[in-house]
mmCIF file of all heavy atoms in Angstrom:
data_model
loop_
_atom_site.group_PDB
_atom_site.id
_atom_site.type_symbol
_atom_site.label_atom_id
_atom_site.label_comp_id
_atom_site.label_asym_id
_atom_site.label_seq_id
_atom_site.Cartn_x
_atom_site.Cartn_y
_atom_site.Cartn_z
ATOM 1 N N PRO M 46 92.915 114.400 114.488
ATOM 2 C CA PRO M 46 92.959 113.812 115.764
ATOM 3 C C PRO M 46 94.021 114.493 116.591
ATOM 4 O O PRO M 46 94.961 115.213 116.110
ATOM 5 C CB PRO M 46 93.461 112.356 115.377
ATOM 6 C CG PRO M 46 93.173 112.214 113.954
ATOM 7 C CD PRO M 46 93.082 113.577 113.374
ATOM 8 N N GLU M 47 93.950 114.204 117.891
ATOM 9 C CA GLU M 47 94.867 114.951 118.806
ATOM 10 C C GLU M 47 96.372 114.785 118.444
ATOM 11 O O GLU M 47 97.133 115.816 118.523
ATOM 12 C CB GLU M 47 94.658 114.564 120.231
ATOM 13 C CG GLU M 47 95.460 115.329 121.326
ATOM 14 C CD GLU M 47 95.069 114.823 122.690
ATOM 15 O OE1 GLU M 47 94.122 114.195 122.941
ATOM 16 O OE2 GLU M 47 95.910 115.241 123.556
ATOM 17 N N LYS M 48 96.768 113.651 118.173
ATOM 18 C CA LYS M 48 98.215 113.439 117.764
ATOM 19 C C LYS M 48 98.621 114.159 116.557
ATOM 20 O O LYS M 48 99.724 114.820 116.580
ATOM 21 C CB LYS M 48 98.452 111.967 117.505
ATOM 22 C CG LYS M 48 99.771 111.505 117.242
ATOM 23 C CD LYS M 48 99.947 110.032 116.994
ATOM 24 C CE LYS M 48 101.281 109.550 116.613
ATOM 25 N NZ LYS M 48 101.453 108.179 116.450
ATOM 26 N N VAL M 49 97.814 114.306 115.630
ATOM 27 C CA VAL M 49 98.081 115.021 114.425
ATOM 28 C C VAL M 49 98.030 116.565 114.667
ATOM 29 O O VAL M 49 98.912 117.298 114.235
ATOM 30 C CB VAL M 49 97.118 114.604 113.196
ATOM 31 C CG1 VAL M 49 97.322 115.600 111.993
ATOM 32 C CG2 VAL M 49 97.270 113.229 112.839
ATOM 33 N N ASP M 50 97.072 116.967 115.439
ATOM 34 C CA ASP M 50 96.952 118.353 115.674
ATOM 35 C C ASP M 50 98.051 118.850 116.672
ATOM 36 O O ASP M 50 98.484 120.009 116.392
ATOM 37 C CB ASP M 50 95.513 118.607 116.354
ATOM 38 C CG ASP M 50 94.975 119.978 116.177
ATOM 39 O OD1 ASP M 50 95.273 120.471 115.016
ATOM 40 O OD2 ASP M 50 94.299 120.611 117.072
ATOM 41 N N THR M 51 98.488 118.038 117.545
ATOM 42 C CA THR M 51 99.600 118.440 118.389
ATOM 43 C C THR M 51 100.932 118.616 117.542
ATOM 44 O O THR M 51 101.610 119.650 117.686
ATOM 45 C CB THR M 51 99.806 117.385 119.437
ATOM 46 O OG1 THR M 51 98.597 117.320 120.304
ATOM 47 C CG2 THR M 51 101.052 117.751 120.445
ATOM 48 N N ALA M 52 101.160 117.730 116.682
ATOM 49 C CA ALA M 52 102.300 117.831 115.836
ATOM 50 C C ALA M 52 102.189 119.125 114.915
ATOM 51 O O ALA M 52 103.212 119.796 114.754
ATOM 52 C CB ALA M 52 102.508 116.574 114.971
ATOM 53 N N ARG M 53 101.031 119.287 114.415
ATOM 54 C CA ARG M 53 100.821 120.519 113.654
ATOM 55 C C ARG M 53 101.122 121.761 114.377
ATOM 56 O O ARG M 53 101.808 122.648 113.934
ATOM 57 C CB ARG M 53 99.451 120.467 112.989
ATOM 58 C CG ARG M 53 99.016 121.782 112.269
ATOM 59 C CD ARG M 53 97.609 121.855 112.028
ATOM 60 N NE ARG M 53 96.786 122.049 113.360
ATOM 61 C CZ ARG M 53 96.698 123.179 114.003
ATOM 62 N NH1 ARG M 53 97.338 124.289 113.568
ATOM 63 N NH2 ARG M 53 96.070 123.278 115.086
ATOM 64 N N GLU M 54 100.537 121.832 115.577
ATOM 65 C CA GLU M 54 100.713 123.054 116.388
ATOM 66 C C GLU M 54 102.131 123.239 116.798
ATOM 67 O O GLU M 54 102.729 124.389 116.845
ATOM 68 C CB GLU M 54 99.838 122.937 117.642
ATOM 69 C CG GLU M 54 98.388 123.106 117.404
ATOM 70 C CD GLU M 54 97.566 122.961 118.697
ATOM 71 O OE1 GLU M 54 98.071 122.330 119.601
ATOM 72 O OE2 GLU M 54 96.415 123.449 118.623
ATOM 73 N N MET M 55 102.910 122.111 117.165
ATOM 74 C CA MET M 55 104.177 122.298 117.553
ATOM 75 C C MET M 55 105.150 122.789 116.512
ATOM 76 O O MET M 55 106.142 123.500 116.758
ATOM 77 C CB MET M 55 104.724 120.902 118.025
ATOM 78 C CG MET M 55 104.267 120.516 119.365
ATOM 79 S SD MET M 55 104.729 118.867 119.877
ATOM 80 C CE MET M 55 106.467 119.092 120.068
ATOM 81 N N GLN M 56 104.752 122.553 115.220
ATOM 82 C CA GLN M 56 105.602 123.110 114.123
ATOM 83 C C GLN M 56 105.075 124.357 113.613
ATOM 84 O O GLN M 56 105.685 124.947 112.674
ATOM 85 C CB GLN M 56 105.724 122.020 112.958
ATOM 86 C CG GLN M 56 106.320 120.813 113.393
ATOM 87 C CD GLN M 56 107.757 120.997 113.828
ATOM 88 O OE1 GLN M 56 108.467 121.892 113.354
ATOM 89 N NE2 GLN M 56 108.196 120.199 114.694
ATOM 90 N N GLY M 57 104.016 124.932 114.123
ATOM 91 C CA GLY M 57 103.498 126.229 113.650
ATOM 92 C C GLY M 57 102.635 126.227 112.391
ATOM 93 O O GLY M 57 102.532 127.289 111.770
ATOM 94 N N THR M 58 102.225 125.034 112.072
ATOM 95 C CA THR M 58 101.328 124.871 110.823
ATOM 96 C C THR M 58 100.041 125.404 111.157
ATOM 97 O O THR M 58 99.285 124.945 112.131
ATOM 98 C CB THR M 58 101.361 123.491 110.293
ATOM 99 O OG1 THR M 58 102.618 123.003 110.066
ATOM 100 C CG2 THR M 58 100.515 123.378 109.080
ATOM 101 N N ASN M 59 99.465 126.334 110.301
ATOM 102 C CA ASN M 59 98.069 126.907 110.563
ATOM 103 C C ASN M 59 97.036 125.821 110.075
ATOM 104 O O ASN M 59 97.323 125.122 109.008
ATOM 105 C CB ASN M 59 97.894 128.226 109.763
ATOM 106 C CG ASN M 59 98.776 129.258 110.387
ATOM 107 O OD1 ASN M 59 98.796 129.425 111.601
ATOM 108 N ND2 ASN M 59 99.489 129.959 109.573
ATOM 109 N N LEU M 60 95.884 125.910 110.649
ATOM 110 C CA LEU M 60 94.758 124.975 110.297
ATOM 111 C C LEU M 60 93.653 125.775 109.730
ATOM 112 O O LEU M 60 93.197 126.655 110.334
ATOM 113 C CB LEU M 60 94.300 124.211 111.536
ATOM 114 C CG LEU M 60 93.180 123.269 111.291
ATOM 115 C CD1 LEU M 60 93.395 122.156 110.334
ATOM 116 C CD2 LEU M 60 92.695 122.711 112.667
ATOM 117 N N LEU M 61 93.148 125.361 108.577
ATOM 118 C CA LEU M 61 91.964 125.838 107.984
ATOM 119 C C LEU M 61 90.972 124.752 107.752
ATOM 120 O O LEU M 61 91.301 123.728 107.055
ATOM 121 C CB LEU M 61 92.241 126.599 106.606
ATOM 122 C CG LEU M 61 93.110 127.810 106.641
ATOM 123 C CD1 LEU M 61 93.411 128.334 105.231
ATOM 124 C CD2 LEU M 61 92.447 128.874 107.433
ATOM 125 N N LEU M 62 89.811 124.797 108.390
ATOM 126 C CA LEU M 62 88.769 123.908 108.190
ATOM 127 C C LEU M 62 87.885 124.214 107.068
ATOM 128 O O LEU M 62 87.221 125.367 107.183
ATOM 129 C CB LEU M 62 87.964 123.559 109.429
ATOM 130 C CG LEU M 62 88.813 122.941 110.595
ATOM 131 C CD1 LEU M 62 87.915 122.882 111.886
ATOM 132 C CD2 LEU M 62 89.317 121.634 110.222
ATOM 133 N N ALA M 63 87.728 123.468 106.079
ATOM 134 C CA ALA M 63 86.711 123.791 104.944
ATOM 135 C C ALA M 63 85.393 123.495 105.407
ATOM 136 O O ALA M 63 85.008 122.673 106.093
ATOM 137 C CB ALA M 63 87.170 122.784 103.801
ATOM 138 N N GLU M 64 84.504 124.512 104.889
ATOM 139 C CA GLU M 64 83.033 124.319 105.212
ATOM 140 C C GLU M 64 82.462 123.286 104.295
ATOM 141 O O GLU M 64 82.781 123.169 103.134
ATOM 142 C CB GLU M 64 82.382 125.602 104.988
ATOM 143 C CG GLU M 64 82.871 126.663 106.123
ATOM 144 C CD GLU M 64 82.140 127.999 105.975
ATOM 145 O OE1 GLU M 64 80.979 127.878 105.407
ATOM 146 O OE2 GLU M 64 82.660 128.935 106.431
ATOM 147 N N SER M 65 81.523 122.577 104.802
ATOM 148 C CA SER M 65 80.745 121.576 104.090
ATOM 149 C C SER M 65 79.457 122.114 103.630
ATOM 150 O O SER M 65 78.723 122.736 104.469
ATOM 151 C CB SER M 65 80.573 120.263 104.796
ATOM 152 O OG SER M 65 79.846 119.378 104.166
ATOM 153 N N ASP M 66 78.923 121.715 102.418
ATOM 154 C CA ASP M 66 77.571 122.162 101.896
ATOM 155 C C ASP M 66 76.544 121.266 102.557
ATOM 156 O O ASP M 66 75.373 121.540 102.527
ATOM 157 C CB ASP M 66 77.541 122.134 100.434
ATOM 158 C CG ASP M 66 78.311 123.217 99.798
ATOM 159 O OD1 ASP M 66 78.514 124.229 100.561
ATOM 160 O OD2 ASP M 66 78.762 123.118 98.696
ATOM 161 N N SER M 67 76.932 120.084 103.037
ATOM 162 C CA SER M 67 75.947 119.155 103.563
ATOM 163 C C SER M 67 75.565 119.290 105.059
ATOM 164 O O SER M 67 76.183 119.987 105.811
ATOM 165 C CB SER M 67 76.421 117.674 103.313
ATOM 166 O OG SER M 67 77.651 117.514 103.880
#
Side-chain angles (χ1 to χ4, degrees):
E47 185 175 348
K48 182 178 178 180
V49 174
D50 208 34
T51 299
R53 176 196 63 77
E54 287 178 340
M55 289 178 61
Q56 296 301 328
T58 302
N59 294 313
L60 175 65
L61 293 176
L62 293 176
E64 293 183 23
S65 174
D66 289 337
S67 53

